[in-house]
Amino acid sequence: MALVPCQVLRVAILLSYCSILCNYKAIEMPSHKTYGGSWKFLTFIDLVIQAVFFGICVLTDLSSLLTRGNGNQEQERQLKKLISLRDWMLAVLAFPVGVFVVAVFWIIYAYDREMIYPKLLDNFIPGWLNHGMHTTVLPFILIEMRTSHHAYPSRNSGLAAICTFSVGYILWVCWVHHVTGMWVYPFLEHIGPGARIIFFGSTTILMNFLYLLGEVLNSYIWDTQRKPPSWQGMEINFVYTGPSS
């Protein structure tokens, strides 16, 4: 039996994301007042994705509790649709985008933080909030994947969806640059057009890889749990042969 029910964990994670979003939006930073506001940053978009996803998880848990044992087929159909939406959102958005944000942020940060998170931001964003945006996303989504099985969509439709999201965000970043003359992320100012195309293409490929990673990880976790240990089901016969002479 789990020490903490997964339903309680989901509520706690949802509340933490709500707190992070509220604290982030309360910060008065110059970038929040420019074109696109917070919505031009993938970190903020990811926080919204994670909050909406865990909100759907909590709603699914409540719906499952309310419809349990009542025999209402219509409510059961609606619950199945809600579960399908929850599973789709984890597969296509919550896992790949969340892991992408954590991995890419800390890799670039370790190389040169000024390229992704200038030291000036420390005057606005406290350390705990930075980790709430760029670190805890990963363990939270892994906890959800570990505690509940999620049915992935067909591979073609899933990859098409994550590609659409990736290309859409890249076009949005380019549009913000077209309007303001400034790139959303400082390191894009220091590379040429060819390098930007390579970078944008690489990020799209990485998003697709992370989608496949989530699919494999989900299958590994739950297929392993469903397989009985090798000794189960084996018939063991003990034959008494008498005392040895």
Side-chain angles (χ1 to χ4, degrees), residues 134-199:
H134 298 115
T135 306
T136 58
V137 173
L138 181 58
F140 284 169
I141 202 66
L142 290 177
I143 287 171
E144 171 61 25
M145 186 170 281
R146 175 63 180 80
T147 55
S148 299
H149 176 261
H150 298 273
Y152 266 60
S154 68
R155 183 167 294 180
N156 288 339
S157 64
L159 290 174
I162 191 62
C163 279
T164 300
F165 174 85
S166 301
V167 173
Y169 180 71
I170 290 169
L171 292 176
W172 168 234
V173 168
C174 292
W175 177 254
V176 171
H177 175 262
H178 172 74
V179 173
T180 64
M182 298 287 292
W183 287 105
V184 174
Y185 302 103
F187 71 90
L188 292 174
E189 299 280 358
H190 304 291
I191 59 178
R196 289 191 201 106
I197 293 173
I198 294 173
F199 174 77

Side-chain angles (χ1 to χ4, degrees), residues 95-226:
F95 182 86
V97 177
V99 176
F100 179 90
V101 166
V102 174
V104 173
F105 175 83
W106 286 113
I107 288 172
I108 298 177
Y109 186 98
Y111 177 75
D112 183 358
R113 68 167 295 177
E114 294 298 320
M115 296 175 67
I116 190 74
Y117 191 82
K119 196 172 181 63
L120 176 66
L121 292 178
D122 291 342
N123 298 324
F124 300 94
I125 302 176
W128 69 266
L129 186 56
N130 179 30
H131 284 291
M133 297 188 297
H134 298 115
T135 306
T136 58
V137 173
L138 181 58
F140 284 169
I141 202 66
L142 290 177
I143 287 171
E144 171 61 25
M145 186 170 281
R146 175 63 180 80
T147 55
S148 299
H149 176 261
H150 298 273
Y152 266 60
S154 68
R155 183 167 294 180
N156 288 339
S157 64
L159 290 174
I162 191 62
C163 279
T164 300
F165 174 85
S166 301
V167 173
Y169 180 71
I170 290 169
L171 292 176
W172 168 234
V173 168
C174 292
W175 177 254
V176 171
H177 175 262
H178 172 74
V179 173
T180 64
M182 298 287 292
W183 287 105
V184 174
Y185 302 103
F187 71 90
L188 292 174
E189 299 280 358
H190 304 291
I191 59 178
R196 289 191 201 106
I197 293 173
I198 294 173
F199 174 77
F200 290 145
S202 300
T203 57
T204 303
I205 293 172
L206 179 57
M207 281 284 199
N208 281 267
F209 171 77
L210 291 175
Y211 172 86
L212 296 174
L213 176 64
E215 183 182 54
V216 171
L217 185 60
N218 181 68
S219 298
Y220 173 78
I221 291 171
W222 292 97
D223 288 351
T224 301
Q225 287 191 354
R226 287 170 180 170

Side-chain angles (χ1 to χ4, degrees), residues 17 20-26 32 36-51 97 101 133-134 169 185:
Y17 276 123
I20 291 169
L21 282 168
C22 289
N23 279 276
Y24 179 75
K25 291 298 291 182
H32 289 178
S38 303
W39 290 98
K40 58 180 174 285
F41 300 110
L42 187 59
T43 294
F44 179 78
I45 294 173
D46 177 52
L47 288 174
V48 174
I49 288 172
Q50 303 298 330
V97 177
V101 166
M133 297 188 297
H134 298 115
Y169 180 71
Y185 302 103

Side-chain angles (χ1 to χ4, degrees), residues 16 28 66 93-94 119 129 181 218 228:
S16 72
E28 294 186 1
L66 293 174
L93 293 175
K119 196 172 181 63
L129 186 56
N218 181 68

Side-chain angles (χ1 to χ4, degrees), residues 26-40:
I27 296 173
E28 294 186 1
M29 289 196 302
S31 59
H32 289 178
K33 300 176 182 179
T34 58
Y35 183 82
S38 303
W39 290 98
K40 58 180 174 285

